[in-house]
Amino acid sequence: MAKDIRKTHSGVAFQGGNMARKSLLLLLAAVLILPLSAGGSAEADDGTVVIWHSNSGVIGNAFDDIVERFNSTIGAEKGITIEAIYQGSANDVLTKVKAAAAVSTSTLPDIAQLDATAALDMKNSDYLILPSDLGIDTSSIMPSAIESLSSERGLLAIPFNASSLLFYYNKAVFDEAGVNPPRTLDEFAAIAPLVGEKGSDGSVTRYAFSGVPATYELGAFIGAQKGLSYMVDGENGHNGIPRSVLFGKEGTFRNFLVHWKNLYDTGFVSSITSGISTEFAAGRTASMLASSSNLSTVLSTVDGRFEVGTAFVPMTDEEATGGVNIGGGAMFSFSSGDAVKTVLDYLVSEETQLEWAEKTGYMPVNTGLYDDPDYIAFLDDNPLFRVAMEQTEASNPKVTGVWLPSAYQIYYSFQSEIRNVTENGKDIDKAVEDMEAAVQKALDDYAEQNIL
Amino acid sequence: MKEAKAYVFVAPAAALAILFSFLPLGKSLAGSFLRISQSGKVLGWAGLGNYVSVLSDPSFLSSIRNTLLFVVLFLPLNTAITLLAASLLRRKGRLTSIPESIFMTPLAFSLSALALIFKEIFRGRVSIANRILGTDMEWLEQPFTAMAVLAVMGVFLDFALDFILLLSAFRNIDRSTIEAAGIDGASAWTIYRRIEIPEIAGMLRITIFMALKDAVLISAPVMVLTEGGPFRSTETVMYYYYLEAFRSGNRAAETTIAVMMVAFSAIIMSLASRRRKDA
């Protein structure tokens, strides 16, 4: 019997034996040669600047346009070509950058577009080339965007796609209920039953809000408390390696949970963590929190079925006046040279940032645009885009995103703990304690492994 | 002389195994007792500190629970369905090639494409699954249903290969025994249960152990379909490993989990091969 089986197997595996073997050899040869040819191609000397980015969909098209314009104008003049490679989400780009750096720094791209979750790793890496080393003039870049990327090593990267958290709401629903977007979470709890809707069988047919806050949202919900609160020491890890958790002992996470549970208990909050925009566009949730950079995507998904409104993120309580932090992404460089500098200068130029902002909803980082008639005209035509800018102006620039090790894991831990409180009846103090322990463990592990 | 020739044939495979399996394993084993920075610098001796750190992490422990739940959901389902399909088609007929080729098509799908399709089918309340089943569920938003979807997808991924293996085992059974039993008046069910199943038991065991290995090591479908969510309820051991090792650059988790998983797999495989010898 065993013999028979073997016969069947070899029959399948070696059909057209010679061909299969030849192509296998070719494949093997290709695998061996691949790393050799990839090494060294990341150098900017030959006039090609490789950018790993995370822009897809509407935003990806806008980025392609910007790259194309460079290659056909400034690039063509100076003999520089941008090679833009989409590498997945910002998180994926970071994973790949770290993997590339672990192999050899020559496999790194010249520039990578990364977000705040990358900052701690980049700050402590020895392969990052700082904007100051490149000699880039950053005097015309939005101050809060600079602040969001500043560390004890100085500015880490050039802000490119600046965004902030924004409150999106179904204006038709809010108007019908005769309410304005809520200023605070308590106000939100008061109007939630008005903008939410229940069917005749008592099940919710439209939620007032969908989503579970994670690190990004808590950057505002915790960061804004008392005008300015940090989650961890070292100014949220911007100044030195963070060693201890602050949101526990300062009571900020607890305060948030109290108000959030109050909102949840109205029965009109849905704890979903994916597909929120789809639910919003389908009219199944009256509001959501999302990055301001999602605006153009949200508008195209809603496609005029109802009027979309944008507003400031609700404050945790009356004293939480710090506003929101600047998020989004920045261009981190890993090679020096004039070509890289030229490309970065181009990416933050007024012209590029105007095009970028108009096509995506990102806030332009070039302050020269703020009195630019074209930009002002654009905002007049698209008042929804203005809200994020106004919110940022009204915010304390010291409110910054938190730089944590194990950021991805902590993101989900926050959601788990919040849900434990809202849905599973977990004691708030216990949840704060567990969350504090989880983050403290990540900080300790990081320190243990990275500090002598 | 003959032996030398054998070593020559074994050499390429052995070289690859040493280069890509044993050396890295040795490095991980050594690294699991050291403090290593993200950039790969050895900072000092850790003793068992890395193991203590990982084993005392509540999310690592819950990743073990999640993996066990997946195994419990996936393994019986996968075994039952592949065995059923192979049993039904074990006699070659005029039309059996049609379902056969349908059952083999999952082999042609790429894993991530399939995961994206599943994600689309079960996305949100307005999902295709709800439309077809007439349900009103947020499949990927509830811990248990998300895990169930993952298990169904796991069956889809493993089905074709297991089916082919079992089918070929059925068809390679010596017909004379079956015919003799038939002449002696054994019913089809008795033949199936008393002759055919024992005959394919060896192959069935192999597919079960392969499925067990796949289940314990599952990470890629999790990565695409649920990203460990909702609320880390589908974060399996290997996905936790991926996040800590590659996303967070946590060398302690990277080395210790690698060592523990290799040890665990080695135990499973040695059990499997011992069983095979018995048979």
Side-chain angles (χ1 to χ4, degrees), chain A residues 120-304:
Chain A
L120 191 67
D121 288 326
M122 290 301 114
K123 187 173 77 171
N124 296 324
S125 73
D126 47 12
Y127 48 86
L128 179 70
I129 309 281
L130 299 174
S132 54
D133 298 337
L134 287 165
I136 292 174
D137 174 23
T138 54
S139 60
S140 59
I141 297 180
M142 182 198 265
S144 46
I146 295 275
E147 194 67 51
S148 75
L149 290 159
S150 292
S151 73
E152 75 273 15
R153 275 182 77 181
L155 182 65
L156 296 179
I158 296 293
F160 171 67
N161 45 321
S163 60
S164 69
L165 193 62
L166 197 60
F167 184 76
Y168 290 79
Y169 64 100
N170 186 324
K171 198 162 184 309
V173 169
F174 275 64
D175 284 351
E176 201 192 333
V179 293
N180 287 322
R183 269 184 58 255
T184 63
L185 290 181
D186 287 348
E187 242 184 76
F188 200 1
I191 64 165
L194 303 174
V195 294
E197 197 180 70
K198 276 189 178 158
S200 49
D201 61 344
S203 67
V204 179
T205 48
R206 184 176 60 233
Y207 288 99
F209 180 87
S210 288
V212 183
T215 320
Y216 183 40
E217 290 80 5
L218 291 170
F221 284 133
I222 288 179
Q225 288 188 39
K226 301 168 206 154
L228 170 65
S229 295
Y230 292 119
M231 287 180 161
V232 296
D233 65 348
E235 297 171 16
N236 267 350
H238 288 236
N239 190 9
I241 292 179
R243 299 302 295 272
S244 73
V245 180
L246 299 179
F247 63 71
K249 51 187 156 218
E250 293 186 356
T252 46
F253 187 41
R254 182 182 199 289
N255 189 31
F256 162 75
L257 285 173
V258 169
H259 291 282
W260 190 259
K261 184 166 191 330
N262 182 37
L263 170 62
Y264 185 87
D265 287 344
T266 59
F268 289 99
V269 175
S270 158
S271 293
I272 56 172
T273 53
S274 62
I276 298 169
S277 311
T278 319
E279 296 289 292
F280 180 74
R284 300 188 66 113
T285 178
S287 72
M288 63 172 180
L289 286 168
S291 161
S292 61
S293 61
N294 289 14
L295 185 50
S296 52
T297 312
V298 169
L299 289 176
S300 74
T301 327
V302 172
D303 201 19

Side-chain angles (χ1 to χ4, degrees), chain A residues 19-34:
Chain A
M19 271 294 289
R21 224 169 302 157
K22 245 184 216 165
S23 47
L24 200 72
L25 270 177
L26 274 175
L27 190 77
L28 212 83
V31 168
L32 288 174
I33 291 164
L34 207 68

Side-chain angles (χ1 to χ4, degrees), chain A residues 235-446:
Chain A
E235 297 171 16
N236 267 350
H238 288 236
N239 190 9
I241 292 179
R243 299 302 295 272
S244 73
V245 180
L246 299 179
F247 63 71
K249 51 187 156 218
E250 293 186 356
T252 46
F253 187 41
R254 182 182 199 289
N255 189 31
F256 162 75
L257 285 173
V258 169
H259 291 282
W260 190 259
K261 184 166 191 330
N262 182 37
L263 170 62
Y264 185 87
D265 287 344
T266 59
F268 289 99
V269 175
S270 158
S271 293
I272 56 172
T273 53
S274 62
I276 298 169
S277 311
T278 319
E279 296 289 292
F280 180 74
R284 300 188 66 113
T285 178
S287 72
M288 63 172 180
L289 286 168
S291 161
S292 61
S293 61
N294 289 14
L295 185 50
S296 52
T297 312
V298 169
L299 289 176
S300 74
T301 327
V302 172
D303 201 19
R305 281 193 297 273
F306 56 83
E307 196 183 337
V308 176
T310 55
F312 285 19
V313 175
M315 302 189 294
T316 308
D317 59 23
E318 290 292 341
E319 268 119 61
T321 54
V324 294
N325 61 289
I326 290 287
M331 295 296 180
F332 289 75
S333 37
F334 308 118
S335 52
S336 45
D338 284 342
V340 173
K341 180 178 184 301
T342 308
V343 169
L344 290 173
D345 282 338
Y346 165 79
L347 290 176
V348 292
S349 66
E350 285 189 27
E351 201 184 344
T352 308
Q353 282 291 317
L354 177 63
E355 179 183 349
W356 180 240
E358 289 185 355
K359 286 182 177 169
T360 62
Y362 278 114
M363 291 181 267
V365 295
N366 193 316
T367 51
L369 280 174
Y370 300 169
D371 45 19
D372 180 280
D374 285 343
Y375 184 56
I376 293 170
F378 167 73
L379 289 183
D380 286 341
D381 292 342
N382 303 277
L384 291 179
F385 286 78
R386 190 196 293 275
V387 179
M389 289 299 285
E390 288 174 350
Q391 183 177 230
T392 296
E393 275 163 36
S395 298
N396 180 349
K398 289 299 247 182
V399 173
T400 52
V402 62
W403 295 354
L404 288 171
S406 298
Y408 194 79
Q409 298 273 56
I410 289 171
Y411 179 96
Y412 290 107
S413 294
F414 271 121
Q415 289 187 328
S416 303
E417 286 305 337
I418 292 171
R419 193 185 71 127
N420 280 339
V421 166
T422 53
E423 283 178 33
N424 305 337
K426 186 168 181 175
D427 178 55
I428 288 183
D429 289 314
K430 179 81 178 96
V432 172
E433 196 182 301
D434 289 351
M435 193 62 226
E436 193 178 10
V439 178
Q440 188 62 50
K441 182 174 189 308
L443 297 184
D444 290 345
D445 283 356
Y446 190 82

Side-chain angles (χ1 to χ4, degrees), chain A residues 78-95:
Chain A
K78 299 197 174 175
I80 304 170
T81 315
I82 299 179
E83 192 188 326
I85 304 173
Y86 174 71
Q87 293 281 29
S89 71
N91 249 309
D92 294 331
V93 182
L94 174 61
T95 306

